[in-house]
Amino acid sequence: MPRIRHTPVASTEARLLPSGGAIDAHRHDDHQIAYAARGVLSITTDAGSWVAPGNRALWIPAGTVHAHQAHGELELHLVGLPAADNPLGLDRPTVLAVGPLLRELIVAHTRSPERDTPERARLRAVLLDQLRASPQQPLHLPTPAAPVLRALCALLDADPADGRTLAELGRAVGASDRTLSRLFRADLGLTFPQWRTQLRLHHALVLLAEGLPVTAVAHRCGWASASAFIDVFRRAFGHTPGAQAPR
């Protein structure tokens, strides 16, 4: 990520980004919570990408170089927290579940970020309590280091509906399926099927935010049927893809 900005204080604010809008690579000395009340938010670091629909938030640890990307019209809420405030002890970006109460706390906390009142301090304390109870979600798409794995992942990123087996993809990149299977576990901590499902879910969230119908998203992302896509999506996000449509 070239031209990295250093912004010492992580902002607390609400802002709108158009579909396709971005915040360039930067880092700050504070932690930050990023939440999309509308649209889908993704962040990218050297270690990979994380994506969050409306019932998820992104925890961005202090010092992490990251860039934001809006998918669909994005209503972005950012909450900056001092480096000493790390209720979950997280040292890498993480997707967190956001229940109705935490959602309202984040929105309320960013509504008037310049006010420093006892009421606001109590609101922040409850927000931290809710964060401590927020389950972590496995929505990280890691970036591979091995060149042959980078080549394979790039093929599927360009066409997530590509249904070739690992052996067939291996012939395209010049590696055996056994070698690739070992690399997936060692380099990414995932099996090949797990990684491909994560990739397809990331693409699906983006396409849904852009307003594509569920059936079209299912086929463009490689599921054999809309019902199969809906089942995987519900298990991953706790709701159907129809509920992810732009509001």
Side-chain angles (χ1 to χ4, degrees):
M1 294 182 181
R3 301 185 63 182
I4 297 166
R5 291 184 291 110
H6 177 214
T7 307
V9 178
S11 62
T12 294
E13 61 176 316
R15 61 193 298 187
L16 295 175
L17 289 176
S19 182
I23 300 175
D24 294 338
H26 62 286
R27 63 183 177 87
H28 27 71
D29 299 334
D30 297 335
H31 304 305
Q32 193 171 59
I33 302 160
Y35 172 70
R38 181 171 70 249
V40 171
L41 169 68
S42 65
I43 67 164
T44 302
T45 76
D46 288 341
S49 61
W50 288 257
V51 63
N55 60 348
R56 302 290 189 270
L58 288 161
W59 171 267
I60 306 165
T64 302
V65 177
H66 62 285
H68 299 267
Q69 179 74 43
H71 305 289
E73 185 177 274
L74 183 67
E75 180 185 331
L76 178 62
H77 295 263
L78 298 169
V79 178
L81 296 171
D85 286 343
N86 191 340
L88 290 172
L90 298 170
D91 59 2
R92 63 178 180 174
T94 304
V95 177
L96 303 174
V98 174
L101 177 56
L102 181 54
R103 179 191 187 280
E104 294 306 318
L105 288 166
I106 292 172
V107 171
H109 194 64
T110 57
R111 188 172 292 133
S112 302
E114 73 283 354
R115 297 177 60 197
D116 187 10
T117 64
E119 292 81 5
R120 182 172 173 76
R122 290 194 292 271
L123 182 70
R124 180 174 168 277
V126 177
L127 193 156
L128 289 173
D129 283 341
Q130 286 296 303
L131 281 176
R132 291 184 184 93
S134 295
Q136 300 176 36
Q137 305 291 311
L139 298 176
H140 174 210
L141 191 66
T143 298
V148 68
L149 211 55
R150 283 182 178 269
L152 184 153
C153 292
L155 287 175
L156 295 184
D157 189 45
D159 180 14
D162 187 332
R164 282 180 287 180
T165 66
L166 191 58
E168 290 169 333
L169 289 164
R171 287 192 287 273
V173 299
S176 70
D177 57 342
R178 179 175 294 182
T179 295
L180 290 170
S181 181
R182 176 180 55 79
L183 284 173
F184 266 101
R185 289 187 174 87
D187 199 348
L188 304 181
L190 298 168
T191 66
F192 172 62
Q194 288 171 334
W195 182 89
R196 177 145 65 180
T197 297
Q198 289 286 77
L199 174 75
R200 288 175 170 176
L201 285 171
H202 276 228
H203 278 269
L205 285 169
V206 171
L207 294 173
L208 289 167
E210 293 172 352
L212 266 69
V214 170
T215 299
V217 172
H219 290 302
R220 285 183 59 172
C221 292
W223 276 279
S225 66
S227 60
F229 166 52
I230 291 169
D231 181 59
V232 173
F233 192 97
R234 184 190 290 114
R235 283 189 276 113
F237 299 113
H239 59 80
T240 64
Q244 193 59 47
R247 298 189 293 275

